[in-house]
Amino acid sequence: MANPDESNARGLQSVERSFEIIEYLRSGGGATLSEAADDLGMAVSTAHIHLTTLVDTGYVVKDDDVYRCGFEFLQTGGQRRDGLALYQAAKPELDELRDETGEHTNVTVEERGYSVQLYKSENPHSIDDDASLGDHFYLHLTATGKAILAELPDERVAEILDQRGMPALTDETITDEDVLYDELAAIRDRGYSINNGEHFPGVCAIGTAIASDPDGAIGAISISGPRSRITTERIEDELAPALLNKKNIIELKIRQFE
């Protein structure tokens, strides 16, 4: 008879393997059985069992010989997002902010030490990093991420940096912890963060945290656009006041939902 701990360990490994396959299909856009098995270093029979089970659940679909992630993920993520008070309060305000500024506006949340994009209100005449709904970003190099970090205790910031690191995506990315902590202090003083080409070359953004309790931010909002238009003068005179006004409105609306 199998040891229960060993059975549990095998079960967890099986679940982890299935999610490894899902991530592989997501990142690659799909694959055949033999491609998945070869790329993931799995026996074809094992890969077939996982893929068949995932197809049965609806989370993977099979088109001819190609397996792809199904739209069940869209429904699952969409329902979670739509149920968030932050999203409900922020969406119409971000649409207005887009029209007022002529730039993209965004709302994100922190999850597992990453910033996750919930919604982007796009202006066709602006540009940003072309990130998709649900994309995950490092917190230290985006405006919304730094705004969230500035609301967290230093112990939690240190934990996130230790877990996720501080990789550089551009020449402007902050990779020194002391420099980042100094910037977080400045963000707390002025009430908003600045991403000056640190996540995507040529794109600048300003962000501010959305808070509903004393334990930290529940998310953050931002305005983003080409670096040539998001100038220091425009930030101080126009964009930061508009962003902070929307922050206040969104926080008030969230309290009404509670």
Side-chain angles (χ1 to χ4, degrees):
M1 181 176 179
N3 183 302
D5 291 337
E6 292 177 354
S7 298
N8 289 338
R10 286 198 298 271
L12 289 173
Q13 289 174 356
S14 178
V15 172
E16 289 173 353
R17 205 62 162 145
S18 289
F19 276 102
E20 183 181 356
I21 292 172
I22 289 170
E23 181 61 23
Y24 165 77
L25 296 178
R26 184 198 65 79
S27 60
T32 64
L33 172 60
S34 59
E35 288 171 342
D38 288 344
D39 291 343
L40 295 171
M42 302 172 64
V44 172
S45 58
T46 302
H48 184 261
I49 291 171
H50 282 282
L51 286 166
T52 300
T53 302
L54 290 168
V55 168
D56 289 342
T57 66
Y59 283 92
V60 169
V61 295
K62 184 181 180 184
D63 298 322
D64 295 327
D65 292 330
V66 177
Y67 294 89
R68 295 185 174 88
C69 290
F71 289 118
E72 289 288 340
F73 289 104
L74 179 62
Q75 182 180 30
T76 300
Q79 285 180 344
R80 184 185 174 198
R81 182 195 70 167
D82 293 350
L84 292 176
L86 171 63
Y87 171 74
Q88 295 173 31
K91 183 178 183 299
E93 301 304 328
L94 292 178
D95 290 341
E96 286 188 6
L97 188 60
R98 172 205 61 202
D99 294 340
E100 291 171 10
T101 63
E103 310 295 354
H104 294 332
T105 58
N106 307 266
V107 58
T108 71
V109 294
E110 183 269 325
E111 185 174 74
R112 299 185 300 112
Y114 291 111
S115 176
V116 184
Q117 182 164 269
L118 291 183
Y119 177 67
K120 180 198 295 185
S121 189
E122 297 182 279
N123 186 299
H125 303 296
S126 187
I127 63 168
D128 69 355
D129 54 13
D130 290 327
S132 301
L133 177 68
D135 274 0
H136 287 52
F137 311 110
Y138 291 100
L139 291 169
H140 72 286
L141 47 67
T142 63
T144 53
K146 288 194 286 185
I148 290 171
L149 285 176
E151 295 294 317
L152 296 175
D154 286 347
E155 295 79 7
R156 175 59 180 151
V157 174
E159 182 182 349
I160 290 172
L161 297 182
D162 182 62
Q163 182 181 23
R164 301 302 176 197
M166 296 179 65
L169 296 189
T170 76
D171 292 339
E172 306 296 332
T173 304
I174 296 173
T175 56
D176 183 283
E177 287 191 16
D178 290 337
V179 174
L180 179 63
Y181 279 109
D182 287 343
E183 178 152 353
L184 296 183
I187 293 168
R188 295 182 192 108
D189 288 341
R190 66 173 176 251
Y192 61 89
S193 60
I194 300 174
N195 158 23
N196 201 6
E198 298 159 50
H199 179 235
F200 195 84
V203 172
C204 184
I206 66 169
T208 189
I210 302 297
S212 68
D213 56 57
D215 296 329
I218 60 170
I221 58 173
S222 69
I223 302 169
S224 59
R227 206 168 180 176
S228 59
R229 290 210 300 262
I230 312 295
T231 61
T232 300
E233 182 179 7
R234 189 181 179 211
I235 289 173
E236 294 176 352
D237 295 344
E238 175 196 351
L239 299 181
L243 185 72
L244 295 174
N245 179 56
K246 289 302 184 185
K247 164 191 169 70
N248 292 334
I249 294 172
I250 291 167
E251 289 179 347
L252 286 171
K253 290 172 67 174
I254 290 172
R255 292 190 189 101
Q256 294 175 350
F257 293 147
E258 294 175 347

